[in-house]
Each structure stands twice: as C-alpha cells, then as structure tokens.
Amino acid sequence: MDIARIEAAAKRLAGHARRTPLLSSPFLDEIAGRRILVKAECLQHTGSFKFRGAWSAISALDPEIRKQGVIAFSSGNHAQGIAAAARMHGIPAVIIMPSDAPDAKVAGTKGLGGDVVLYDRASEDRDAIGARLAAERGLTLIKPFDEPEVIAGQGTCGLEIAEQAAEAGVSEADVIVCCGGGGLTSGIALALEARAPGLRVRPAEPEGFDDVKRSLAAGEIARNAQLSGSICDAIVTPQPGELTFPIMRRLCGPGLAVSEEEALKAMQLAFRHLKVVAEPGGAVALAAALFHGDEIEGNAVVCTISGGNVDPEMFKRALDLPL
C-alpha cells in the first residue's frame, strides 16, 4: 500500500465518484472551541465513502474475472457501494448483510440490484458464508476494508482532504475519521502522509466497540467483546484488519471513543448547522470533535461524516434529543 496505488485508484474513480465538500459552520466552531472542517462523505454516491473503495476494487479486476460477478459482506454502506458499482459495470453482485441491518440499507442495497443474503451476526460467521458462496458461484469476494484496492479507493478521500485543507489554510490539524475495520482510516492516513504530513489521522469509534483505539494503545490487534448492540452499526467490526492495522499503528494518533448520545447529538448538529444527514456511525468523528476537545490539540480539526444512510426513526431520535 502506497500513494501510487491511491493515485491510480483516483484516476479510475475520476468521473464516477463525487469530490465531496469540506464544510464548516461558526456555530460548530463555537461548540468545539476551535475551527472544525467537515468532510461530508454522506454526500458521496450511495450515501457513504464506501462507493470509492467499491469502484476502485471492481474496476481493478481482470475483465474476464469481473464479468462473473462479485460478492461482499456489509451492514449496509459497503453493500450499497458494491451494488451500485457492480450495476454500473453491468455485473451481478451478491451482498451478505446482518439481519439487524437498518431497513433503509437493506432496501437501498436491493434497490441498487444487489442479491441480499441475510445472516445472524451474533451466531454466524460472515467470512465463512462469503467464502462458501464465492466458491459455489464463482464470484470474487471484495472485503469491506482489508483489501488493497478498497483501501486505495478510500484513500482518494484523503487526497481531497489534503487539497481542501490547504485551500482553507489548514496545514496542521488532527483529522478524525469514523473507524470500523480501518479501510477509510488507513487510506486517508496513507494519502495524508504523502500529501499533507502536518495532518494527523485519529480513529473515532463508539464506546464499547472501540477495538481500534484499544489496539493502538496495546500495539497489537484487540477484538470487540460483542458484535451487535450499537446504533453505530456501520462501524461495528470484530477487530481491525490485518492490512489496515499496521498502517494505522504507524501513522495514526490515539483513538477516540464517543457515547451513543454524543453521536446522536452530532447528527442533530450536522443537520441544523451543515444541512446534511448523518447516520450514527457516520457521526462519531464529528461527535469526537465537538465533545472531546480536551483530547484534541491545535486550533483546527478536520473530521469525516462518513455516511448518511439512516432510518427515519433513528434520525427522529437524534432530532428530538435535547442539546
């Protein structure tokens, strides 16, 4: 994994992915006590950054292999990214999703042409299911984060952050990234290492599912005790990836963990002051920037809103929360 692979992914993504904006609000700055710049990946195709990695991985396949189709496992955002990219390439896509995935994400994946297979994440092994179906149907498995071309695709978000932060006059800051298995986090970190070394990536996770934060502190991979029970479904993973963790260990600062209430408040504030819709897992980085300022250094901070695929009921819960 290096900047050359990310730049190659950027060329393949040109004309297909959106260059999402870096947003700001004086109201959010006042709450945080410093300047906040928000990378709104919730405005990417399919409502999350995952389209970048999906297109990067599918477009990199040998044409003869690609036409057989792809398979992926995801709680929803990677699923929709793969389904959309596969449809745009004219190939089939099978998506393995947990049975407790939000209805909006399941419906969105099906609507994009994905053949959805549901599983129980507490009692079944999605990796085993994926390997079996891939072998039976001759499909290429595209992992949600521990895959070089997926990491490279997510790294294109980092190339944009480097350019946009420079345009905003920010050359030194923490860049807080919503983190599950670490594909986006490690991809952005690699891009910033090459293009904006004064910007340091820091992963953000929900409390109780902060495997990356604990792994970075311990210097070795740590697992989550449970794999369900968080409203931040998009970033709940068993543990950091074998490919992503060494990158994060080398390039990232300490991890941050936020409460579910903080994530919901960040969703409300993003809607009120940035006019964007965030899902709980996509709002944890903004929550860290707003409510964990004592753990952040500097006069400015960049954070991602990584996804906006939220059920109406969950979004109403966020909007109804007293600030």
Side-chain angles (χ1 to χ4, degrees):
M1 292 305 307
D2 56 23
I3 190 63
R5 179 167 261 172
I6 295 173
E7 290 174 337
K11 290 180 180 179
R12 296 197 305 277
L13 279 159
H16 301 288
R18 293 173 179 156
R19 187 177 191 268
T20 56
L22 195 65
L23 305 176
S24 62
S25 163
F27 298 101
L28 297 184
D29 293 351
E30 183 176 352
I31 294 170
R34 56 171 52 86
R35 188 179 182 190
I36 293 185
L37 300 174
V38 180
K39 181 63 168 168
E41 280 294 293
C42 50
L43 300 178
Q44 188 54 258
H45 294 305
T46 71
S48 89
F49 72 95
K50 290 288 192 177
F51 178 81
R52 296 178 185 268
W55 183 275
S56 173
I58 291 175
S59 64
L61 291 174
D62 178 273
E64 289 301 309
I65 294 175
R66 183 169 58 222
K67 71 180 183 181
Q68 299 301 314
V70 294
I71 185 170
F73 38 82
S74 166
S75 68
N77 287 336
H78 181 59
Q80 291 177 88
I82 290 291
R87 185 173 69 173
M88 292 165 72
H89 278 89
I91 63 173
V94 175
I95 313 296
I96 305 165
M97 302 184 71
S99 56
D100 61 349
D103 292 341
K105 294 181 178 180
V106 175
T109 303
K110 291 180 178 179
L112 289 166
D115 178 7
V116 173
V117 176
L118 298 177
Y119 78 101
D120 185 335
R121 71 165 103 202
S123 63
E124 295 181 283
D125 184 345
R126 70 178 187 180
D127 291 353
I129 295 172
R132 175 176 57 81
L133 290 176
E136 290 176 354
R137 306 187 190 184
L139 306 171
T140 298
L141 176 63
I142 298 180
K143 297 180 181 179
F145 51 85
D146 227 18
E147 156 59 45
E149 293 301 345
V150 169
I151 296 171
Q154 319 308 22
T156 64
C157 181
L159 296 179
E160 294 176 14
I161 289 173
E163 295 173 358
Q164 293 167 319
E167 292 168 0
V170 175
S171 59
E172 294 187 5
D174 280 348
V175 178
I176 306 175
V177 180
C178 306
C179 187
L184 180 63
T185 306
S186 60
I188 290 177
L190 285 167
L192 295 182
E193 177 190 32
R195 296 289 176 262
L199 302 181
R200 177 182 68 161
V201 169
R202 299 185 63 185
E205 301 167 285
E207 291 176 351
F209 299 88
D210 56 349
D211 50 298
V212 173
K213 177 184 178 182
R214 290 182 287 109
S215 296
L216 291 175
E220 59 184 15
I221 289 179
R223 289 182 61 87
N224 280 321
Q226 59 189 52
L227 301 179
S228 62
S230 173
I231 64 172
C232 301
D233 63 281
I235 56 174
V236 172
T237 54
Q239 63 185 50
E242 296 291 339
L243 296 180
T244 61
F245 179 65
I247 299 170
M248 294 189 288
R249 182 174 57 187
R250 181 171 68 86
L251 296 176
C252 291
L256 298 155
V258 306
S259 69
E260 290 190 351
E261 182 173 309
E262 289 169 336
L264 291 168
K265 286 182 177 179
M267 290 169 61
Q268 182 180 153
L269 291 167
F271 178 70
R272 289 181 180 275
H273 302 303
L274 300 176
K275 312 309 176 188
V276 297
V277 173
E279 63 188 276
V284 296
L286 177 58
L290 291 171
F291 307 125
H292 291 256
D294 58 339
E295 301 177 56
I296 302 167
E297 298 179 359
N299 297 320
V301 61
V302 181
C303 60
T304 63
I305 292 182
S306 58
N309 295 312
V310 59
D311 284 344
E313 295 78 9
M314 183 63 69
F315 194 56
K316 182 178 184 302
R317 178 178 166 185
L319 295 181
D320 289 344
L321 198 67
L323 295 175

